[in-house]
Amino acid sequence: MRILLLGEYSRLHNSLKEGLIELGHEVILVSSGDGFKKYPADYSIEPKWCNTQLGNIPRQIIHKLFHFDIAKIENAIRFYFLLPQLKGFDIVQLINESPIQTIKKFELSFLKKIVKNNGKLFVLSTGVDYLNVKYIMENKMEKSILQPYFENPSLKREYNYVLEYTTEKHKKIHDFVYQKCVGIIATDIDYLLPLEGNPKFLGLIPNPINYKKLVFEELKIEDKIVVFLGINQWSYQQKGIAYFEKALVVIQEKYKDKVAVIIAENLPYADYINRYNKAHILLDQLYGYDQGYNALEAMAKGKAVFTNADELFEKQYHLSEKVAVNAEPDVDYLVRELSFLIENPNEIVAIGKRARAFIEKEHDYMKIAGKYLEIWEAN
């Protein structure tokens, strides 16, 4: 089959592409690289001019005056010139309802052309979309990326990009995609909950992880225990980074001679994935029910990861032992969990081994690619 994967925010589509190609399919991936993360693509719509020193000056001025990012226009221009090459695919899959990330009017127009010129359309629920945000807002879910906003509405500006998915302009895109798509696929438990009972819901397929590219080395603790915290300024609130930062202040004071802390901010993906190689513990996020992509890749490398891993997650995957440490928005709780691991380093090693085994069993990119093919062909 010829398959078009449109959009990328986490390396999900890249790993899926690798599995599909190994299974003998032709796959093209189009994306902007998701800003500073710079994920690879066959055809890039990255706003390169806006990211240059020259282009960034008017971009910042316009954004300050009008709260508009002209990079969205450059995305549109680059995608427009790609359209002639995006025809004749058997399957088109969108990373979410708004994969091009341009002006709403242009986004809708481009998606209409994609639908007209290709075969079956599928859409992922991974990250924010209309149904997801609507469900969270109506149910005021405690474990969601909007929890900090519910607790502190003054954060609204930082959540504008999330709340934008509930606007009438975006709903037009959602309505079109929902009407035209064969179905919606959830990529983890956080996106499963809002879709249960929806007639277009095709089920949950876990994130594909190409663990062959992620070297597993059994953790060895010979000197200090290394704790890694990666910070993305755009998701600082949504991931609960402030709780991790406060917990680390306590831990560094409590275990001065036992712990080393690495903090990295806004790194391209290729740099980020290697920065934590020396780490034993990785702090990821704490507002949700399942792991995001960063956590899964760190688990594949055999790290002990603090992430979303409570009873609902353990039940979903029939787990009897920890493959990750459940994180909560509670500094004292995080300090206790970190202290336990620091004082029991053998448990860090054991969690790391179980984490790798879990990834190989539940997130094998080849098996996951096969599951996508089954759903695409059956619907």
mmCIF file of all heavy atoms in Angstrom, residues 58-83:
data_model
loop_
_atom_site.group_PDB
_atom_site.id
_atom_site.type_symbol
_atom_site.label_atom_id
_atom_site.label_comp_id
_atom_site.label_asym_id
_atom_site.label_seq_id
_atom_site.Cartn_x
_atom_site.Cartn_y
_atom_site.Cartn_z
ATOM 1 N N PRO A 58 10.882 40.159 12.225
ATOM 2 C CA PRO A 58 9.474 40.537 11.978
ATOM 3 C C PRO A 58 8.493 39.559 12.605
ATOM 4 O O PRO A 58 7.395 39.943 13.028
ATOM 5 C CB PRO A 58 9.362 40.531 10.446
ATOM 6 C CG PRO A 58 10.500 39.688 9.969
ATOM 7 C CD PRO A 58 11.604 39.896 10.964
ATOM 8 N N ARG A 59 8.896 38.287 12.707
ATOM 9 C CA ARG A 59 8.018 37.287 13.324
ATOM 10 C C ARG A 59 7.705 37.668 14.767
ATOM 11 O O ARG A 59 6.538 37.632 15.185
ATOM 12 C CB ARG A 59 8.689 35.906 13.278
ATOM 13 C CG ARG A 59 7.850 34.794 13.895
ATOM 14 C CD ARG A 59 8.600 33.475 13.883
ATOM 15 N NE ARG A 59 7.770 32.383 14.390
ATOM 16 C CZ ARG A 59 8.194 31.128 14.542
ATOM 17 N NH1 ARG A 59 9.427 30.801 14.187
ATOM 18 N NH2 ARG A 59 7.383 30.211 15.020
ATOM 19 N N GLN A 60 8.737 38.054 15.530
ATOM 20 C CA GLN A 60 8.542 38.419 16.942
ATOM 21 C C GLN A 60 7.766 39.726 17.083
ATOM 22 O O GLN A 60 6.920 39.869 17.974
ATOM 23 C CB GLN A 60 9.901 38.529 17.645
ATOM 24 C CG GLN A 60 10.657 37.211 17.749
ATOM 25 C CD GLN A 60 9.875 36.133 18.475
ATOM 26 O OE1 GLN A 60 9.136 36.411 19.422
ATOM 27 N NE2 GLN A 60 10.011 34.895 18.009
ATOM 28 N N ILE A 61 8.042 40.689 16.187
ATOM 29 C CA ILE A 61 7.346 41.981 16.248
ATOM 30 C C ILE A 61 5.853 41.797 15.983
ATOM 31 O O ILE A 61 4.999 42.312 16.719
ATOM 32 C CB ILE A 61 7.958 42.981 15.236
ATOM 33 C CG1 ILE A 61 9.380 43.351 15.664
ATOM 34 C CG2 ILE A 61 7.088 44.235 15.127
ATOM 35 C CD1 ILE A 61 10.138 44.168 14.626
ATOM 36 N N ILE A 62 5.545 41.042 14.925
ATOM 37 C CA ILE A 62 4.139 40.804 14.565
ATOM 38 C C ILE A 62 3.429 40.021 15.671
ATOM 39 O O ILE A 62 2.274 40.295 16.018
ATOM 40 C CB ILE A 62 4.044 40.069 13.211
ATOM 41 C CG1 ILE A 62 4.505 41.006 12.086
ATOM 42 C CG2 ILE A 62 2.621 39.567 12.948
ATOM 43 C CD1 ILE A 62 4.678 40.331 10.752
ATOM 44 N N HIS A 63 4.131 39.045 16.245
ATOM 45 C CA HIS A 63 3.523 38.252 17.307
ATOM 46 C C HIS A 63 3.227 39.116 18.532
ATOM 47 O O HIS A 63 2.168 38.969 19.172
ATOM 48 C CB HIS A 63 4.445 37.090 17.698
ATOM 49 C CG HIS A 63 3.790 36.089 18.593
ATOM 50 N ND1 HIS A 63 3.816 36.174 19.968
ATOM 51 C CD2 HIS A 63 3.047 34.966 18.305
ATOM 52 C CE1 HIS A 63 3.154 35.173 20.486
ATOM 53 N NE2 HIS A 63 2.670 34.420 19.502
ATOM 54 N N LYS A 64 4.132 40.033 18.841
ATOM 55 C CA LYS A 64 3.939 40.903 20.001
ATOM 56 C C LYS A 64 2.788 41.878 19.790
ATOM 57 O O LYS A 64 1.988 42.142 20.697
ATOM 58 C CB LYS A 64 5.230 41.666 20.290
ATOM 59 C CG LYS A 64 5.217 42.406 21.622
ATOM 60 C CD LYS A 64 6.598 42.950 21.965
ATOM 61 C CE LYS A 64 6.592 43.606 23.339
ATOM 62 N NZ LYS A 64 7.924 44.116 23.721
ATOM 63 N N LEU A 65 2.670 42.413 18.565
ATOM 64 C CA LEU A 65 1.644 43.412 18.282
ATOM 65 C C LEU A 65 0.265 42.801 18.051
ATOM 66 O O LEU A 65 -0.752 43.335 18.494
ATOM 67 C CB LEU A 65 2.051 44.244 17.057
ATOM 68 C CG LEU A 65 3.262 45.177 17.222
ATOM 69 C CD1 LEU A 65 3.623 45.808 15.890
ATOM 70 C CD2 LEU A 65 2.959 46.258 18.261
ATOM 71 N N PHE A 66 0.243 41.686 17.328
ATOM 72 C CA PHE A 66 -1.047 41.134 16.887
ATOM 73 C C PHE A 66 -1.341 39.723 17.421
ATOM 74 O O PHE A 66 -2.369 39.138 17.078
ATOM 75 C CB PHE A 66 -1.094 41.107 15.354
ATOM 76 C CG PHE A 66 -0.874 42.453 14.717
ATOM 77 C CD1 PHE A 66 0.345 42.770 14.132
ATOM 78 C CD2 PHE A 66 -1.875 43.413 14.734
ATOM 79 C CE1 PHE A 66 0.559 44.014 13.547
ATOM 80 C CE2 PHE A 66 -1.679 44.656 14.154
ATOM 81 C CZ PHE A 66 -0.455 44.963 13.562
ATOM 82 N N HIS A 67 -0.422 39.161 18.216
ATOM 83 C CA HIS A 67 -0.586 37.804 18.754
ATOM 84 C C HIS A 67 -0.830 36.793 17.629
ATOM 85 O O HIS A 67 -1.662 35.900 17.743
ATOM 86 C CB HIS A 67 -1.729 37.750 19.780
ATOM 87 C CG HIS A 67 -1.557 38.712 20.909
ATOM 88 N ND1 HIS A 67 -0.563 38.596 21.856
ATOM 89 C CD2 HIS A 67 -2.247 39.837 21.236
ATOM 90 C CE1 HIS A 67 -0.650 39.581 22.719
ATOM 91 N NE2 HIS A 67 -1.654 40.361 22.363
ATOM 92 N N PHE A 68 -0.091 36.978 16.549
ATOM 93 C CA PHE A 68 -0.200 36.076 15.396
ATOM 94 C C PHE A 68 1.193 35.634 14.975
ATOM 95 O O PHE A 68 2.119 36.449 14.893
ATOM 96 C CB PHE A 68 -0.903 36.773 14.230
ATOM 97 C CG PHE A 68 -0.926 35.932 12.972
ATOM 98 C CD1 PHE A 68 -1.768 34.835 12.888
ATOM 99 C CD2 PHE A 68 -0.096 36.229 11.909
ATOM 100 C CE1 PHE A 68 -1.778 34.048 11.744
ATOM 101 C CE2 PHE A 68 -0.109 35.457 10.761
ATOM 102 C CZ PHE A 68 -0.955 34.357 10.688
ATOM 103 N N ASP A 69 1.340 34.352 14.687
ATOM 104 C CA ASP A 69 2.629 33.806 14.277
ATOM 105 C C ASP A 69 2.663 33.660 12.751
ATOM 106 O O ASP A 69 1.951 32.832 12.184
ATOM 107 C CB ASP A 69 2.845 32.445 14.931
ATOM 108 C CG ASP A 69 4.262 31.911 14.720
ATOM 109 O OD1 ASP A 69 5.039 32.561 13.995
ATOM 110 O OD2 ASP A 69 4.575 30.844 15.275
ATOM 111 N N ILE A 70 3.494 34.470 12.095
ATOM 112 C CA ILE A 70 3.560 34.417 10.628
ATOM 113 C C ILE A 70 4.170 33.115 10.121
ATOM 114 O O ILE A 70 4.095 32.805 8.931
ATOM 115 C CB ILE A 70 4.336 35.619 10.036
ATOM 116 C CG1 ILE A 70 5.776 35.659 10.576
ATOM 117 C CG2 ILE A 70 3.603 36.923 10.306
ATOM 118 C CD1 ILE A 70 6.645 36.684 9.878
ATOM 119 N N ALA A 71 4.753 32.333 11.026
ATOM 120 C CA ALA A 71 5.259 31.018 10.618
ATOM 121 C C ALA A 71 4.127 30.148 10.084
ATOM 122 O O ALA A 71 4.349 29.269 9.247
ATOM 123 C CB ALA A 71 5.946 30.334 11.791
ATOM 124 N N LYS A 72 2.901 30.412 10.537
ATOM 125 C CA LYS A 72 1.751 29.645 10.038
ATOM 126 C C LYS A 72 1.521 29.893 8.547
ATOM 127 O O LYS A 72 1.070 29.007 7.825
ATOM 128 C CB LYS A 72 0.494 30.010 10.835
ATOM 129 C CG LYS A 72 0.524 29.529 12.277
ATOM 130 C CD LYS A 72 -0.792 29.818 12.974
ATOM 131 C CE LYS A 72 -0.800 29.237 14.382
ATOM 132 N NZ LYS A 72 -2.102 29.430 15.059
ATOM 133 N N ILE A 73 1.831 31.096 8.105
ATOM 134 C CA ILE A 73 1.693 31.407 6.678
ATOM 135 C C ILE A 73 2.769 30.683 5.884
ATOM 136 O O ILE A 73 2.506 30.138 4.807
ATOM 137 C CB ILE A 73 1.761 32.930 6.448
ATOM 138 C CG1 ILE A 73 0.555 33.609 7.106
ATOM 139 C CG2 ILE A 73 1.817 33.247 4.962
ATOM 140 C CD1 ILE A 73 0.554 35.110 7.002
ATOM 141 N N GLU A 74 4.006 30.670 6.431
ATOM 142 C CA GLU A 74 5.073 29.951 5.729
ATOM 143 C C GLU A 74 4.765 28.461 5.659
ATOM 144 O O GLU A 74 5.011 27.813 4.630
ATOM 145 C CB GLU A 74 6.423 30.181 6.406
ATOM 146 C CG GLU A 74 7.565 29.589 5.594
ATOM 147 C CD GLU A 74 8.943 29.857 6.172
ATOM 148 O OE1 GLU A 74 9.072 30.666 7.113
ATOM 149 O OE2 GLU A 74 9.898 29.245 5.666
ATOM 150 N N ASN A 75 4.211 27.896 6.745
ATOM 151 C CA ASN A 75 3.771 26.492 6.707
ATOM 152 C C ASN A 75 2.804 26.264 5.551
ATOM 153 O O ASN A 75 2.902 25.275 4.814
ATOM 154 C CB ASN A 75 3.055 26.126 8.012
ATOM 155 C CG ASN A 75 3.999 25.713 9.118
ATOM 156 O OD1 ASN A 75 5.195 25.586 8.910
ATOM 157 N ND2 ASN A 75 3.466 25.530 10.306
ATOM 158 N N ALA A 76 1.847 27.191 5.412
ATOM 159 C CA ALA A 76 0.823 27.064 4.372
ATOM 160 C C ALA A 76 1.448 27.114 2.977
ATOM 161 O O ALA A 76 1.094 26.320 2.097
ATOM 162 C CB ALA A 76 -0.217 28.172 4.520
ATOM 163 N N ILE A 77 2.362 28.038 2.766
ATOM 164 C CA ILE A 77 3.007 28.178 1.458
ATOM 165 C C ILE A 77 3.764 26.900 1.100
ATOM 166 O O ILE A 77 3.652 26.388 -0.025
ATOM 167 C CB ILE A 77 3.955 29.394 1.457
ATOM 168 C CG1 ILE A 77 3.156 30.694 1.589
ATOM 169 C CG2 ILE A 77 4.809 29.418 0.192
ATOM 170 C CD1 ILE A 77 4.003 31.922 1.863
ATOM 171 N N ARG A 78 4.520 26.385 2.075
ATOM 172 C CA ARG A 78 5.308 25.176 1.802
ATOM 173 C C ARG A 78 4.403 23.972 1.546
ATOM 174 O O ARG A 78 4.681 23.148 0.679
ATOM 175 C CB ARG A 78 6.263 24.900 2.968
ATOM 176 C CG ARG A 78 7.369 25.960 3.098
ATOM 177 C CD ARG A 78 8.363 25.625 4.196
ATOM 178 N NE ARG A 78 9.387 26.650 4.281
ATOM 179 C CZ ARG A 78 10.465 26.726 3.500
ATOM 180 N NH1 ARG A 78 10.648 25.812 2.565
ATOM 181 N NH2 ARG A 78 11.351 27.694 3.641
ATOM 182 N N PHE A 79 3.293 23.882 2.286
ATOM 183 C CA PHE A 79 2.384 22.758 2.077
ATOM 184 C C PHE A 79 1.677 22.878 0.726
ATOM 185 O O PHE A 79 1.478 21.865 0.030
ATOM 186 C CB PHE A 79 1.350 22.690 3.201
ATOM 187 C CG PHE A 79 0.603 21.389 3.233
ATOM 188 C CD1 PHE A 79 1.127 20.287 3.871
ATOM 189 C CD2 PHE A 79 -0.634 21.258 2.596
ATOM 190 C CE1 PHE A 79 0.444 19.074 3.885
ATOM 191 C CE2 PHE A 79 -1.322 20.062 2.611
ATOM 192 C CZ PHE A 79 -0.784 18.965 3.259
ATOM 193 N N TYR A 80 1.326 24.092 0.345
ATOM 194 C CA TYR A 80 0.636 24.317 -0.932
ATOM 195 C C TYR A 80 1.461 23.776 -2.102
ATOM 196 O O TYR A 80 0.927 23.107 -3.007
ATOM 197 C CB TYR A 80 0.370 25.809 -1.123
ATOM 198 C CG TYR A 80 -0.196 26.162 -2.471
ATOM 199 C CD1 TYR A 80 -1.544 25.972 -2.757
ATOM 200 C CD2 TYR A 80 0.628 26.667 -3.477
ATOM 201 C CE1 TYR A 80 -2.065 26.278 -4.002
ATOM 202 C CE2 TYR A 80 0.124 26.976 -4.729
ATOM 203 C CZ TYR A 80 -1.223 26.784 -4.987
ATOM 204 O OH TYR A 80 -1.723 27.079 -6.226
ATOM 205 N N PHE A 81 2.762 24.055 -2.077
ATOM 206 C CA PHE A 81 3.619 23.599 -3.178
ATOM 207 C C PHE A 81 3.895 22.098 -3.138
ATOM 208 O O PHE A 81 4.355 21.527 -4.121
ATOM 209 C CB PHE A 81 4.932 24.390 -3.189
ATOM 210 C CG PHE A 81 4.774 25.788 -3.719
ATOM 211 C CD1 PHE A 81 4.849 26.881 -2.872
ATOM 212 C CD2 PHE A 81 4.519 26.010 -5.062
ATOM 213 C CE1 PHE A 81 4.684 28.176 -3.360
ATOM 214 C CE2 PHE A 81 4.351 27.300 -5.568
ATOM 215 C CZ PHE A 81 4.429 28.388 -4.706
ATOM 216 N N LEU A 82 3.583 21.463 -2.005
ATOM 217 C CA LEU A 82 3.727 20.008 -1.905
ATOM 218 C C LEU A 82 2.504 19.257 -2.424
ATOM 219 O O LEU A 82 2.597 18.087 -2.783
ATOM 220 C CB LEU A 82 3.931 19.601 -0.444
ATOM 221 C CG LEU A 82 5.346 19.523 0.117
ATOM 222 C CD1 LEU A 82 5.292 19.062 1.566
ATOM 223 C CD2 LEU A 82 6.214 18.564 -0.697
ATOM 224 N N LEU A 83 1.361 19.931 -2.469
ATOM 225 C CA LEU A 83 0.095 19.264 -2.771
ATOM 226 C C LEU A 83 0.120 18.381 -4.025
ATOM 227 O O LEU A 83 -0.461 17.283 -4.005
ATOM 228 C CB LEU A 83 -1.030 20.298 -2.875
ATOM 229 C CG LEU A 83 -1.631 20.756 -1.541
ATOM 230 C CD1 LEU A 83 -2.572 21.935 -1.762
ATOM 231 C CD2 LEU A 83 -2.368 19.614 -0.857
#
